[in-house]
Amino acid sequence: MGFYEKIQSIVGPEYVSNSPEVCRAYAYNCFMTYKYSVPPEYIIQPQTTQQVSEVVKACNEYKVPLTPKGPAGGTGSGGFHHGGVCLDLMYMDKITHIDPISMKAVTEAGASYFKLSQEVFKAGMMLPTTEYSCGPTVAGSIVAPVVAFGKTRYGRCCDTVDGLEVVLPDGKIVTLGSLAYENSNFGPFYRYINGPDLVNMFVGSNGAYGIITRVAFGCQKRPPFWGNSFYYWTEEQTAEMEEFMLEATGMEVFDIHLNDRWKFDALFTTPDGVTHHELNFLLNQYPRDAYFFMQNTFCAFSQEELDEKKKQLDELCVKCKGGIMGPELADTLIGSFPTMHAPVCISNQVMKPLFDMNKANYHIIPDSYIYPTVKFGEVFRKIKEVYVKHNYWGFPTPAILDGFPMKGQAICTQTWSYINTRDQDQMDRIFAARTELREWFGAQGGVHEEHQPPNVPAYAWENQKSDYQLGQLIKKALDPNDILSPCTFEMEVK
């Protein structure tokens, strides 16, 4: 019996494919790296943890590498750089436990964050750090954690995880954190058991240490009152913005989301410079000297508490020499919290004028950087310098800044655009800009939001070499055949 027949006997013939067309479809990544150079050779869709265990054992027997599929949009696995198996957990999406009393939820790993968050929401709770679109799975957002909405107060998605069920590289099934004692009288209630925090070993592991099959979350009671404040600063006021973000992060602000003016200029502008008439009512809310826009979302358990939080933020904005705007821009273009997961409304409206100008067909996020909030101005000026040099600043290919201040006084920023992949000059310029920025950012000691080499440069490991070396030791001990996500601890793909 060969490998393909073995897998068919485990999951069933309809849940495995080696079709080149299907494998190429799974290899596509619509964000970070444009496309993978090595598609998987097999797509396997198990339905149970036991099947995952048997698939992993078969991969060891036949020496076939296995990489778990991450969330839709490319965040998750590091890519199929060695071919082999793509493990798709889409059929393992059951939400098995929701407890609004103890505010806990347990789900299979293939459930999307959107599905889980909506079920939690219906029970009067919330997962404060919901993933940045509907597609990502809960497991994918743990092995490659992202900065999501609610990160200013609660941190990353993985910070709400209480427990895991994991299939190790040899096929053994283990339960960690709160799931280690889920069948006790108390139930799964606390991540930190006696001994080391083994849950955290799998956070950011890229699937190299094991395949996550179930996740336990600690939820929050959902406040009934929500509001937002919208502020702006000029391009020269980065120091004042840093002061605002540092202080606001210490307050009870649910989320801060930062953009530069290119995001909104694209909404109001057509190739001939005419404004979009359907958005004209917003123009008086959009000061022309404004460059940075900041949406602050906050929540409360009473109207009085909500009003006081808004007052405190407004006072802080004035102290930091910002401008106070009404909520119209945010309410019209950004979406409503806390149920908004993907800002599709604004993405579509930005895409239309850029397609008219440039025949843009691809949403590219070349990189997603994390660095100290107090360094925002320095990083922004470097980003602008490099993008201007490569003629990627302003229409028809604006570099749009997204910023996500989070607890711990760090900030994640992305500079994204819509490009025409059929225009080789555009492609050459965007990747030349990315290379130059990576070289500078790596020399400063920065880190990337989620991806690891080879999707990002080797400095992502070289800047933290002792962590990398310990990670290699753990990987070798758990996975001597280097079966799971084998690219994870290689500085470069051979």
Side-chain angles (χ1 to χ4, degrees):
M1 180 185 294
F3 176 73
Y4 191 76
E5 291 73 26
K6 177 81 169 183
I7 295 301
Q8 284 184 315
S9 70
I10 295 171
V11 300
E14 65 271 36
Y15 297 107
V16 57
S17 175
N18 60 359
S19 161
E21 291 76 14
V22 173
C23 291
R24 280 199 300 271
Y26 271 80
Y28 182 77
N29 179 339
C30 64
F31 283 122
M32 287 294 195
T33 54
Y34 184 48
K35 59 185 178 180
Y36 293 127
S37 58
V38 182
E41 299 160 277
Y42 308 94
I43 309 300
I44 301 175
Q45 297 173 321
Q47 300 98 63
T48 66
T49 298
Q50 189 58 48
Q51 286 183 355
V52 173
S53 172
E54 295 303 317
V55 168
V56 170
K57 291 176 182 176
C59 287
N60 271 285
E61 179 183 351
Y62 288 89
K63 302 296 187 292
V64 177
L66 182 153
T67 302
K69 176 183 177 292
T75 58
S77 68
F80 315 104
H81 297 282
H82 292 274
V85 167
C86 167
L87 193 71
D88 182 0
L89 302 181
M90 65 176 291
Y91 290 105
M92 296 178 61
D93 68 341
K94 300 181 188 65
I95 299 170
T96 58
H97 178 75
I98 290 183
D99 184 351
I101 305 302
S102 63
M103 290 190 281
K104 304 295 179 184
V106 180
T107 177
E108 291 182 328
S112 74
Y113 249 103
F114 183 81
K115 175 180 179 179
L116 175 62
S117 295
Q118 291 303 300
E119 293 305 313
V120 165
F121 191 88
K122 293 174 189 176
M125 304 181 292
M126 67 174 183
L127 277 171
T129 53
T130 51
E131 170 62 284
Y132 191 56
S133 77
C134 305
T137 62
V138 294
S141 295
I142 294 169
V143 298
V146 299
V147 176
F149 294 110
K151 75 282 173 182
T152 307
R153 184 173 180 184
Y154 295 100
R156 301 183 301 171
C157 302
C158 57
D159 293 334
T160 59
V161 173
D162 278 348
L164 298 174
E165 178 184 80
V166 181
V167 176
L168 296 178
D170 63 357
K172 183 178 181 180
I173 302 168
V174 297
T175 51
L176 308 170
S178 66
L179 288 184
Y181 52 85
E182 68 173 318
N183 296 320
S184 69
N185 182 45
F186 286 166
F189 75 97
Y190 193 53
R191 168 170 167 169
Y192 302 100
I193 60 175
N194 295 335
D197 178 14
L198 295 178
V199 169
N200 208 41
M201 188 175 80
F202 293 88
V203 171
S205 68
N206 203 44
Y209 295 156
I211 306 299
I212 295 172
T213 50
R214 285 194 305 141
V215 185
F217 288 93
C219 307
Q220 300 288 328
K221 186 172 177 62
R222 173 168 55 87
F225 295 88
W226 291 79
N228 68 72
S229 296
F230 214 66
Y231 307 130
Y232 72 92
W233 284 263
T234 66
E235 184 176 353
E236 295 73 28
Q237 290 181 296
T238 54
E240 290 84 353
M241 286 179 54
E242 290 170 359
E243 181 184 358
F244 178 91
M245 291 187 289
L246 289 166
E247 192 163 334
T249 302
M251 301 166 63
E252 291 188 351
V253 179
F254 177 80
D255 189 86
I256 300 175
H257 190 182
L258 168 68
N259 285 118
D260 66 6
R261 70 172 305 129
W262 293 116
K263 187 171 188 177
F264 301 106
D265 273 357
L267 295 171
F268 300 134
T269 307
T270 57
D272 56 4
V274 178
T275 58
H276 286 228
H277 63 86
E278 68 270 21
L279 296 174
N280 280 350
F281 75 98
L282 290 175
L283 288 178
N284 64 342
Q285 301 291 335
Y286 179 54
R288 302 313 295 170
D289 66 334
Y291 190 88
F292 296 107
F293 296 87
M294 194 179 298
Q295 182 188 11
N296 297 264
T297 302
F298 43 92
C299 51
F301 288 93
S302 70
Q303 187 63 50
E304 293 76 16
E305 181 189 4
L306 192 75
D307 292 342
E308 181 60 29
K309 287 184 176 181
K310 185 179 187 308
K311 177 185 173 185
Q312 291 175 1
L313 281 170
D314 286 349
E315 290 173 349
L316 179 60
C317 175
V318 172
K319 172 188 169 186
C320 298
K321 299 180 173 58
I324 299 175
M325 299 175 63
E328 291 84 358
L329 196 64
D331 290 348
T332 304
L333 301 175
I334 304 297
S336 299
F337 286 79
T339 56
M340 190 275 284
H341 290 250
V344 174
C345 53
I346 193 169
S347 295
N348 290 342
Q349 293 182 70
V350 170
M351 183 72 170
K352 175 61 168 64
L354 294 183
F355 178 81
D356 291 340
M357 296 179 206
N358 185 41
K359 304 304 179 190
N361 65 331
Y362 184 78
H363 181 195
I364 186 167
I365 306 178
D367 276 317
S368 191
Y369 296 130
I370 292 180
Y371 51 93
T373 302
V374 73
K375 296 290 187 179
F376 169 77
E378 179 182 347
V379 175
F380 166 75
R381 286 186 288 274
K382 187 64 180 182
I383 289 172
K384 180 177 179 180
E385 173 193 325
V386 171
Y387 275 83
V388 168
K389 173 182 174 181
H390 293 279
N391 196 24
Y392 239 96
W393 199 260
F395 297 121
T397 52
I400 298 170
L401 181 78
D402 256 331
F404 307 92
M406 52 187 172
K407 75 173 187 178
Q409 304 298 9
I411 186 171
C412 172
T413 59
Q414 306 164 347
T415 308
W416 53 270
S417 188
Y418 290 102
I419 62 175
N420 182 351
T421 60
R422 296 172 293 269
D423 186 329
Q424 190 58 48
D425 177 63
Q426 282 189 44
M427 299 298 291
D428 292 343
R429 286 187 285 114
I430 194 70
F431 285 108
R434 181 177 75 169
T435 298
E436 185 171 341
L437 268 175
R438 284 178 167 186
E439 290 174 356
W440 177 85
F441 190 73
Q444 312 310 305
V447 299
H448 283 257
E449 177 185 7
E450 56 188 299
H451 286 289
Q452 300 165 346
N455 279 4
V456 297
Y459 74 72
W461 281 133
E462 290 167 349
N463 283 346
Q464 45 185 337
K465 195 163 285 186
S466 61
D467 275 20
Y468 173 76
Q469 291 167 344
L470 180 58
Q472 280 185 313
L473 289 174
I474 296 171
K475 169 70 168 169
K476 186 174 181 179
L478 289 175
D479 189 8
N481 294 326
D482 198 22
I483 294 297
L484 300 187
S485 297
C487 69
T488 305
F489 292 102
E490 299 176 1
M491 287 288 191
E492 297 178 0
V493 175
K494 297 181 179 64

